[in-house]
C-alpha cells in the first residue's frame, strides 16, 4: 500500500467515525469514574481502598455455604469463648421471651357477630383450654418441656444456630385431651442427603421448585456431627405443605436478610471476629493480673555446697498440675522458689491491672452493641448515665425486642396456636360455628395477641403517672397500658379488684362491729 492509499484510509469516514466513538467512550468512562459512588465507596484508585479485596456472591456463596462454620463458632462463643457473646444472647432471650409469651385471645367480634359478653366468655374458654394443653409437658413430643419452656429453647437455639425446624405430629397419650405435639429439630439436621449434595434445587436441606417456592425439607435422622451415631444415616423428605389441606407440615423459625435466602444465620454472626478477639484480650489481661498478683521470691545459691530449703513454702508435688514436665515452673500465692546454682530470675512485672482495660472494652462493646442492635447500657447491664439517657436506651432496645417478638410470634407461637385451635374445634371442646367452612371465619376465631416481658421501669412512679395521663386523654387505653406496664389484662384486673374490695369491706365491717 502506497502513502496515498494509507492517507485515504486514515481519513476515510468509517475510520473517523470509529475514532470518534472510541473518544466518546473514554470520555464517558472518565465521567462515570468521577461521579457518585465511583468517587467514594465504589472507587478503585484511592489508597484507602487499594487493599480492599472482595468478591460479591449470591446468598448461597455469602450465607448458606458458610453456615457450618458460623454455627460452630457461635456456639463456641456462647459456651465460654466470650462473656459478651453469652450475655448478648441471654439478654435477647430474657427480654424477648422471658417467662414466656402469653396467649390473649382476641376474636373478631364484628366479623363473628358476637356481643361483648359472648366474645369475652369465648375468649376465656379458649384461653382455659389452651392452658390445659400448653401448661403441660404433653405439648412436647419428648415430654420434657411445656409451651413456655419450648419458646425459650427455640429462641435460644435460633440465636445460637440461626434457625430451628419444628414439626407438628399427633400422638395419643393417656389423660391428654389433645393429640397435637411439638417436635423440635436442631438446625444441623436440616441438610442435603448424601446423594443430593450437588443438587441445585436443594440448598442446605431446603428444596425449592423452578419458581423458587419452598416445597420440601430434607431432615437427617442422625445428627451430622454426632461422633458415634446409633441411628442409620438416612434422610426424610417432608413436604412443606399438605397436598390436600395446605397445612404447614414444617415450621421454619428463621429471620432472613437476603432475597432468596432459605436458611438463617446466628444472631452474633456479624461480630464473631470481634467477639473472639475481645475474649482473647480479656483472657490475656486476666492471666496477666493473676501472675502479677502472685508475688514470688526466687532464692539464688552462690555455690553448690549450700543446703537447706528456702524459707517459705513452695507448691507441693501432689498439688502441681504439671509436675511431669521438668521445664515447667509453677507459681503460687507468695511462694518462694529455690533456684539451682547459676540460675537467675528476672523481674517480669506485667503492670496489671491495666488502667486502660475498662475504657477499651467499653468502646468495643459499644460497637458490638450497635451491630447487634443492643444499646451498650443494656448489653453490659450498666446504667450509670442520667435517668433520661438510661430510659432512652431501654426504649430503643425494646424496639428491637418488639421486632424480634413479632416475627417469632408469626413463625412459632401463632401457627402452633392455630393448629391447636383447629383440633379443639374439631373435638367439640371449643364451639366455633363455621370454623372449617370459611377461612375468613377461621381467621376471626384465631386472632390473638402474644404478650411478653415489658419495658423495664427505672422510676415506677413516673411511668405510672405517664400511663394514666395517656389513657385519660385518649392517647392510649387502659388495656394497652396494663399490658405494657405489668403484662396483665385490664378487665381481669378490674374484676379481681372488685372481689378484693368486697372482701376487704367485709373484713372492715366485721372489725367495726366487734368494737
Amino acid at each position: 500500500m502506497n502513502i496515498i492509499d494509507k492517507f485515504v484510509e486514515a481519513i476515510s469516514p468509517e475510520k473517523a467515525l470509529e475514532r470518534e466513538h472510541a473518544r466518546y467512550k473514554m470520555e464517558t468512562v472518565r465521567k462515570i469514574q468521577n461521579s457518585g459512588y465511583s468517587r467514594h465507596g465504589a472507587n478503585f484508585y484511592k489508597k484507602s481502598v487499594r487493599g480492599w479485596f472482595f468478591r460479591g456472591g449470591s446468598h448461597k456463596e455469602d450465607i448458606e455455604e458458610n453456615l457450618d462454620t458460623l454455627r460452630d463458632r457461635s456456639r463456641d462463643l456462647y459456651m465460654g469463648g466470650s462473656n459478651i457473646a453469652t450475655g448478648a444472647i441471654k439478654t435477647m432471650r430474657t427480654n424477648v421471651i422471658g417467662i414466656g409469651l402469653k396467649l390473649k385471645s382476641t376474636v373478631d367480634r364484628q366479623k363473628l357477630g358476637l356481643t361483648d359478653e359472648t366474645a369475652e366468655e369465648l375468649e376465656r374458654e379458649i384461653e382455659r383450654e389452651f392452658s390445659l394443653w400448653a401448661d403441660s409437658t404433653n405439648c412436647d413430643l419428648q415430654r420434657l418441656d411445656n409451651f413456655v419452656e419450648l419458646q425459650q429453647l427455640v429462641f435460644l437455639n435460633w440465636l445460637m444456630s440461626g434457625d430451628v425446624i419444628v414439626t407438628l405430629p399427633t400422638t395419643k397419650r393417656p389423660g391428654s385431651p389433645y393429640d397435637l405435639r411439638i417436635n423440635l429439630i436442631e438446625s444441623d439436621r436440616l441438610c442435603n442427603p448424601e446423594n443430593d449434595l450437588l443438587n441445585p434445587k436443594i440448598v442446605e436441606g431446603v428444596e425449592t421448585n423452578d419458581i423458587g417456592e419452598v416445597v420440601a425439607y430434607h431432615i437427617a435422622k442422625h445428627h451430622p456431627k454426632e461422633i458415634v451415631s446409633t441411628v442409620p444415616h438416612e434422610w426424610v423428605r417432608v413436604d412443606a405443605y399438605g397436598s390436600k389441606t395446605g397445612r404447614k407440615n414444617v415450621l421454619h423459625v428463621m429471620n432472613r436478610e437476603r432475597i432468596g435466602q432459605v436458611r438463617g444465620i446466628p444472631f452474633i454472626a456479624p461480630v464473631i471476629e470481634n467477639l473472639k478477639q475481645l475474649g482473647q484480650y480479656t483472657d490475656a489481661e486476666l492471666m496477666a493480673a493473676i501472675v502479677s498478683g502472685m508475688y514470688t521470691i526466687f532464692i539464688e545459691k552462690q555455690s553448690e555446697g549450700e543446703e537447706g530449703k528456702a524459707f517459705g513454702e513452695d507448691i507441693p508435688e501432689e498439688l502441681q498440675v504439671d509436675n511431669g514436665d521438668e521445664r515447667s515452673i509453677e507459681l503460687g500465692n507468695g511462694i518462694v522458689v529455690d533456684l539451682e546454682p547459676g540460675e537467675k530470675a528476672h523481674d517480669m512485672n506485667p503492670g496489671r491491672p491495666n488502667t486502660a482495660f475498662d475504657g477499651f472494652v467499653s468502646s468495643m462493646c459499644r460497637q458490638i452493641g450497635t451491630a447487634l442492635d443492643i444499646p451498650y447500657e443494656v448489653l453490659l447491664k450498666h446504667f450509670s448515665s442520667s435517668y433520661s439517657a438510661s430510659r432512652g436506651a431501654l426504649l430503643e432496645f425494646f424496639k428491637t425486642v418488639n421486632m424480634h417478638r413479632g416475627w417469632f410470634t408469626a413463625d412459632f407461637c401463632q401457627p402452633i396456636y392455630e393448629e391447636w385451635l383447629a383440633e379443639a374445634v374439631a373435638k367439640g371442646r371449643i364451639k366455633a360455628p363455621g370454623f372449617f367452612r370459611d377461612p375468613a371465619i377461621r381467621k376471626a376465631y384465631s386472632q390473638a395477641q402474644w404478650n411478653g416481658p415489658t419495658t423495664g421501669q427505672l422510676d415506677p412512679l413516673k411511668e405510672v403517672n405517664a400511663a394514666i395521663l395517656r389513657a385519660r386523654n385518649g392517647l392510649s387505653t387502659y388495656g394497652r397500658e396494663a399490658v405494657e406496664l405489668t403484662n396483665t389484662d385490664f378487665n381481669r384486673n378490674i374484676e379481681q379488684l372488685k372481689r378484693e374490695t368486697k372482701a376487704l369491706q367485709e373484713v372492715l365491717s366485721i372489725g367495726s362491729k366487734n368494737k
Side-chain angles (χ1 to χ4, degrees):
M1 182 182 294
N2 56 35
I3 189 68
I4 298 176
D5 292 336
K6 289 183 178 180
F7 178 76
V8 171
E9 181 184 6
I11 61 173
S12 66
E14 292 80 6
K15 287 290 183 182
L17 183 62
E18 216 175 287
R19 291 177 182 176
E20 183 65 21
H21 182 65
R23 186 181 63 80
Y24 175 76
K25 283 180 64 176
M26 289 299 298
E27 289 181 357
T28 303
V29 169
R30 290 193 190 97
K31 288 179 180 178
I32 293 175
Q33 289 178 345
N34 291 280
S35 173
Y37 283 115
S38 59
R39 289 173 55 87
H40 306 286
N43 77 76
F44 289 91
Y45 52 87
K46 289 184 179 179
K47 291 183 178 180
S48 59
V49 294
R50 284 186 179 177
W52 190 343
F53 300 103
F54 64 93
R55 184 189 70 84
S58 71
H59 60 90
K60 293 181 182 179
E61 291 82 12
D62 288 355
I63 296 177
E64 277 93 358
E65 291 183 3
N66 298 308
L67 280 179
D68 283 343
T69 302
L70 290 175
R71 281 197 292 257
D72 289 344
R73 290 179 176 178
S74 173
R75 292 167 184 167
D76 182 68
L77 289 173
Y78 172 80
M79 292 185 288
S82 169
N83 295 334
I84 301 299
T86 307
I89 290 174
K90 287 188 174 181
T91 294
M92 290 300 298
R93 188 272 315 269
T94 301
N95 285 275
V96 174
I97 305 298
I99 58 173
L101 303 182
K102 302 295 185 181
L103 169 69
K104 175 64 178 73
S105 176
T106 56
V107 298
D108 190 337
R109 307 178 184 194
Q110 185 176 3
K111 174 66 177 177
L112 299 174
L114 302 177
T115 63
D116 290 344
E117 294 77 12
T118 305
E120 289 178 7
E121 182 57 35
L122 175 61
E123 291 170 352
R124 292 181 183 181
E125 183 63 23
I126 290 174
E127 292 168 15
R128 277 193 293 265
E129 283 292 317
F130 184 75
S131 177
L132 179 65
W133 175 77
D135 293 348
S136 167
T137 57
N138 278 324
C139 67
D140 183 9
L141 184 65
Q142 291 185 291
R143 218 168 186 172
L144 294 175
D145 296 319
N146 60 27
F147 189 56
V148 166
E149 293 165 337
L150 288 175
Q151 291 178 35
Q152 297 168 348
L153 181 62
V154 170
F155 194 75
L156 184 64
N157 273 261
W158 170 78
L159 290 167
M160 282 193 292
S161 304
D163 53 8
V164 178
I165 313 304
V166 184
T167 59
L168 302 174
T170 56
T171 59
K172 291 187 178 297
R173 285 177 180 166
S176 175
Y178 296 102
D179 302 331
L180 181 67
R181 309 288 175 242
I182 302 172
N183 181 34
L184 303 184
I185 300 172
E186 196 167 30
S187 59
D188 305 74
R189 289 177 55 193
L190 181 62
C191 55
N192 284 33
E194 291 177 350
N195 57 347
D196 279 319
L197 293 176
L198 300 178
N199 190 337
K201 291 187 177 180
I202 305 177
V203 178
E204 290 294 317
V206 180
E207 182 180 343
T208 57
N209 58 18
D210 293 335
I211 63 173
E213 177 188 3
V214 175
V215 295
Y217 295 86
H218 295 262
I219 301 172
K221 291 184 178 180
H222 66 289
H223 196 291
K225 297 180 180 178
E226 189 174 5
I227 298 176
V228 179
S229 177
T230 58
V231 181
H233 288 202
E234 298 177 359
W235 280 259
V236 177
R237 183 183 183 275
V238 182
D239 290 334
Y241 298 91
S243 57
K244 295 182 179 179
T245 62
R247 172 187 183 266
K248 272 190 175 183
N249 295 326
V250 177
L251 303 181
H252 192 180
V253 182
M254 63 172 286
N255 195 0
R256 300 199 300 172
E257 61 180 34
R258 291 280 296 274
I259 296 173
Q261 178 183 343
V262 294
R263 296 298 305 270
I265 63 172
F267 175 66
I268 60 173
V271 292
I272 281 178
E273 183 181 0
N274 291 341
L275 288 170
K276 181 61 176 177
Q277 290 176 326
L278 187 60
Q280 291 174 331
Y281 171 65
T282 303
D283 291 342
E285 286 291 331
L286 179 59
M287 182 55 66
I290 291 174
V291 173
S292 179
M294 293 179 178
Y295 185 78
T296 304
I297 297 176
F298 294 88
I299 302 299
E300 182 183 355
K301 296 177 181 178
Q302 297 297 325
S303 64
E304 296 184 4
E306 296 184 15
E307 296 182 356
K309 292 186 64 176
F311 63 90
E313 294 290 339
D314 58 1
I315 301 177
E317 289 189 5
E318 62 271 14
L319 298 181
Q320 293 181 12
V321 297
D322 197 21
N323 56 5
D325 188 353
E326 296 181 355
R327 299 170 299 176
S328 176
I329 298 178
E330 298 193 24
L331 304 181
N333 297 328
I335 70 168
V336 177
V337 181
D338 200 7
L339 300 178
E340 296 297 329
E343 294 180 342
K344 293 184 178 181
H346 296 279
D347 182 16
M348 297 294 291
N349 181 16
R352 295 298 189 278
N354 183 2
T355 56
F357 174 78
D358 185 64
F360 175 75
V361 171
S362 297
S363 177
M364 289 300 301
C365 287
R366 286 188 178 93
Q367 297 181 40
I368 292 171
T370 300
L372 298 180
D373 215 6
I374 304 177
Y376 156 77
E377 295 89 346
V378 179
L379 180 63
L380 294 185
K381 308 295 193 299
H382 183 68
F383 297 91
S384 60
S385 302
S386 62
Y387 168 82
S388 57
S390 300
R391 174 65 175 162
L394 284 175
L395 291 176
E396 191 67 25
F397 176 57
F398 257 76
K399 293 179 183 178
T400 304
V401 168
N402 290 330
M403 181 191 69
H404 283 86
R405 189 178 293 168
W407 75 254
F408 182 77
T409 296
D411 278 11
F412 183 75
C413 297
Q414 186 66 21
I416 292 176
Y417 166 65
E418 292 177 4
E419 285 295 316
W420 167 86
L421 184 59
E423 182 182 358
V425 174
K427 290 188 171 181
R429 296 188 67 91
I430 298 293
K431 304 299 180 183
F435 186 88
F436 295 105
R437 265 197 332 267
D438 188 348
I441 294 178
R442 180 170 181 166
K443 182 180 178 181
Y445 279 113
S446 303
Q447 288 187 5
Q449 294 177 355
W450 296 89
N451 301 317
T454 59
T455 310
Q457 300 176 30
L458 298 176
D459 190 333
L461 181 60
K462 290 182 179 179
E463 304 290 342
V464 171
N465 287 334
I468 293 173
L469 286 174
R470 285 194 295 267
R472 283 181 178 175
N473 291 280
L475 302 176
S476 181
T477 64
Y478 288 106
R480 179 176 179 179
E481 296 299 334
V483 170
E484 292 185 354
L485 281 178
T486 59
N487 194 19
T488 57
D489 182 81
F490 176 75
N491 293 326
R492 295 183 185 180
N493 289 347
I494 293 298
E495 292 178 1
Q496 181 66 23
L497 284 172
K498 287 180 181 178
R499 290 191 292 269
E500 292 175 354
T501 302
K502 183 179 179 181
L504 181 61
Q505 289 175 347
E506 291 177 355
V507 171
L508 293 176
S509 62
I510 293 174
S512 61
K513 289 179 181 178
N514 292 335
K515 289 182 180 180

